[in-house]
Amino acid sequence: MSGVRSAPALVAAFVALAGCGGITPVRTHFNKGVYQDAQGNPAGAVAEYRLALEEDPEDFRARFNLGAALEDLAALRLEQGRLEEATRHREEARAHYAAILATRPGDVRASANLAALEFEDADAGDPEAEARAEERLLAAARRHPDLATPRTALAARRLRKGRLDDAESALREALKVDPSDVEANDLLGRTLAAKGDVDGARKAFAEALRRDPDDLAAMLALGDLERSAGRPGDAAAWYRRAVLRRRDLLEAHLALSELDAEAGDAESALAHLLEARRLARLNPRARPHPYADRLEALARRLAEDARSESRRAP
């Protein structure tokens, strides 16, 4: 599902307020909740947003952010195996989005987040939830013909379900509305890549990067695209550009380890593999990988290279 779950605009507003002329922002519960969100502490964010709503039950921003924080907390509890708590948090998030839409039926973010929960219901076996969520997003698109968000969210779901033509159609409509939408360009690139249109995918990712030169999603996708197209040098360049901007990209380090090994640079391959293993140990959701076997193979290769160098030395 497309990423509408957090409140980046509100976070940005809070940060901007904190930096205005050295003025300390008012320490409201809402601002404290935004801070806890930014720190990756959904439980703390939930507590602060609840207090904000107690002070002002009509504060729809606090209600929306509370719903999003509850979803994040539900995901955390699910990882911890606390299924009942996760279910309860998801249902409360659903209730907050529904409450917003009861008084603000045109709220796009609440519609998108509620649709995301309905798509999860569909994945869990509710046969009617898929159509319900699609219609919710289509209604939001009709209500807001000037916004790309509902169309992009709909396209993300269609792409995930393998409905590539439908996804492309929704994305073309989204980009007619807002050609600058980075997520829509990213998703269009992924959709075209899945359809085998490599040139079209490159153009879409290039447009995303033109709009946002720091778009990591586009860099990583271009790395994957060039690698699948048999252009390892170009692929490695995109992965390196991504890790220069953010060092904790586990999958990029894995890809660079494999590409460097193929290119004969065992030392760089080993360095990227060690970094990938370190990141995997910090991330319980990281996919399994045969680190031990690959590390041993690279170590043997380095030793062989060293022996060859010593034999060639005068």
Side-chain angles (χ1 to χ4, degrees), residues 44-274:
V46 165
E48 294 294 345
Y49 291 136
R50 286 196 201 286
L51 291 171
L53 274 180
E54 285 179 14
E55 291 180 345
D56 181 5
E58 303 302 317
D59 187 346
F60 75 92
R61 300 178 311 156
R63 191 174 295 281
F64 175 84
N65 282 18
L66 175 56
L70 282 163
E71 287 194 74
D72 290 337
L73 186 56
L76 179 61
R77 295 295 179 251
L78 194 59
E79 288 175 12
Q80 297 168 340
R82 296 156 68 173
L83 181 59
E84 288 186 10
E85 286 183 57
T87 301
R88 188 168 67 251
H89 293 320
R90 285 182 73 256
E91 290 310 306
E92 186 184 348
R94 188 195 305 269
H96 285 299
Y97 298 142
I100 292 171
L101 291 171
T103 57
R104 299 168 58 89
D107 193 294
V108 175
R109 297 182 309 159
S111 295
N113 281 20
L114 188 53
L117 289 170
E118 290 168 332
F119 284 137
E120 290 179 18
D121 293 339
D123 291 339
D126 182 344
E128 298 177 357
E130 187 85 21
R132 213 166 42 239
E134 280 226 3
E135 179 50 39
R136 186 180 302 283
L137 292 173
L138 288 169
R142 290 191 295 268
R143 185 184 288 269
H144 298 282
D146 57 335
L147 293 180
T149 299
R151 296 167 176 83
T152 303
L154 185 61
R157 177 62 177 184
R158 290 173 173 177
L159 175 58
R160 182 180 171 191
K161 300 297 285 185
R163 296 167 54 189
L164 302 182
D165 289 340
D166 290 341
E168 182 180 355
S169 176
L171 289 166
R172 299 286 186 196
E173 288 299 318
L175 289 168
K176 283 181 186 176
V177 170
D178 182 4
S180 69
D181 191 294
V182 173
E183 185 179 10
N185 280 297
D186 278 338
L187 285 171
L188 180 59
R190 293 182 182 279
T191 301
L192 294 175
K195 295 179 74 171
D197 183 356
V198 175
D199 289 338
R202 280 197 194 101
K203 289 177 183 176
F205 291 131
E207 180 64 15
L209 283 166
R210 189 176 77 82
R211 303 286 183 175
D212 178 6
D214 292 322
D215 182 10
L216 290 171
M219 294 176 206
L220 295 172
L222 278 164
D224 294 342
L225 183 71
E226 300 299 359
R227 196 175 181 190
S228 65
R231 301 172 63 172
D234 291 340
W238 284 114
Y239 293 131
R240 291 190 208 287
R241 182 171 167 181
V243 297
L244 280 173
R245 282 161 175 76
R246 197 169 125 187
R247 291 291 305 172
D248 63 346
L249 298 172
L250 188 155
E251 295 297 330
H253 283 292
L254 279 177
L256 282 168
S257 176
E258 293 165 1
L259 289 166
D260 286 345
E262 291 167 7
D265 189 346
E267 186 175 353
S268 179
L270 181 60
H272 283 295
L273 189 60
L274 286 169

